[in-house]
Amino acid sequence: MTHNNTHDRYFEDLGLSLKKAGLCTPVLVIDKQRLDHNIGQLREVINRGFEYRIVAKSLPSIPLLRYIMERTGTRRLMSFHVPFLIHLIEHIPESDVLLGKPMPVSAVRYFYDWHQQHPCEFQPESQLQWLVDSLPRLQEYHAFAQDNNLQLQINLEINIGLNRGGFSDLAEFQQALKLLKDSDHLSLSGLMGYEAHITRIPNLIGGPEKAFRLAMESYRKFTEQVRKVLGDQILENLCLNAGGSTTYPLYQDNGLINEIATASALVKPTDFDVFTLDHHSPAAFIATPVIKDVQKPNLPMASGISALLRMVGLSPQRAAFIYGGNWLASPCYPPGSKRSGLLGHSSNQELYEIDKDHPIQRDDFMFFRPSQSEAVFLQFGSIALMNNGNIETYWPVFQYPEPGSPLAKTTPSFSKDLSASAAEG
């Protein structure tokens, strides 16, 4: 196999940086220069007139989020998990948070019980938007807010083509708007239309260009309903959210959408290797030591069969057992490496086929690109930040509450039977 010297040198140098820093276990590394490059690409779109909201689940680290907030001039975050929502507002109390998925009303009750027990600078009535996807859920939220004398900002999830839920029927949507108009406890704060399907639509049925156009036409129909029920001026003050890591570059002006949300694009896992992100660079890698460098690996109790399989190219000439494994990730160094089929998956010592002539050795680092960031980033402890060839610092990732912590011990106090309340509302 011919090796790409530039590719190999990048990872060889990165491996030396990790050794210099004394790292000896699997670690998640972010390349700060590549991260900055991707932030620069994002800012070009933001500068077309959009507000920017960081999808916190995809970059689950307070220092990382604060760094991007500073570089992009935003305090807007999107959260998808109540424990992480609480983690965010404890550490970034000035943030403006939009829930990225609709929560059971029990989760809403849980949050407000925690907030009641832990007063802080964060003010939910003005800094938090709850996402609601249906009229029955909105009625539940209304009953809860009414029973507990709370003010809730409501962002309505609209289906603009992904078909993952949200309001689809304009008549039901109109009923929801009328409920919000008449409520003393709920107010409409915006709309969210997610369109992650766009880059996946094959040309046979219209391709991405048609999918984007139809999504925007659908979004506009919902905004016209808002205008009809709540008046012409209201849209000027609403959060009209769309976009995602694979689609945000498609937005050219803010004539309809005024806010885009993205985060994964800034580190570009393999799931985001799409044409809309060709100008982005992979910026996050899993590094793990090679534990054992094995020449002519054999199947258990089948050395003769193994030799025959190697002769016909069905078994590798060389393989490596790594420290850990079984991640949502694909090997990127040494090039051409792949998980071996000789043994099953292992989270302890996974076996990877490597080129017999590659110079990697035992105790060197093998590198992987995560397929996503939101779950993978939480598996390695603090993130190692590489800056100009050196590990500059370590950024801790989100933490779940420990057993016995105030959050873990919280017992909801907003305990009225909400199903009955919803029926009353």
Side-chain angles (χ1 to χ4, degrees), residues 45-70:
V45 176
I46 296 172
N47 290 339
R48 296 170 187 168
F50 298 101
E51 298 291 345
Y52 169 51
R53 190 173 297 275
I54 308 172
V55 182
K57 72 176 175 61
S58 300
L59 301 172
S61 164
I62 296 296
L64 175 56
L65 290 173
R66 281 203 171 277
Y67 181 75
I68 297 167
M69 290 170 74
E70 181 180 346

Side-chain angles (χ1 to χ4, degrees), residues 91-159:
H91 290 85
I92 313 178
E94 72 276 19
S95 60
D96 175 287
V97 183
L98 169 61
L99 270 294
K101 65 186 176 191
M103 293 288 166
V105 73
S106 57
V108 183
R109 181 174 64 245
Y110 181 87
F111 170 81
Y112 281 100
D113 185 78
W114 174 87
H115 189 263
Q116 185 180 66
Q117 296 182 38
H118 302 83
C120 60
E121 180 184 334
F122 185 85
Q123 301 298 317
E125 64 272 14
S126 60
Q127 293 177 253
L128 180 61
Q129 300 179 59
W130 295 96
L131 190 68
V132 171
D133 62 324
S134 67
L135 182 60
R137 193 185 303 279
L138 184 64
Q139 291 168 339
E140 291 176 352
Y141 279 33
H142 182 253
F144 170 76
Q146 198 171 43
D147 292 344
N148 296 284
N149 195 29
L150 293 169
Q151 298 293 323
L152 273 61
Q153 294 190 108
I154 302 298
N155 192 297
L156 297 177
E157 181 182 15
I158 56 176
N159 178 14

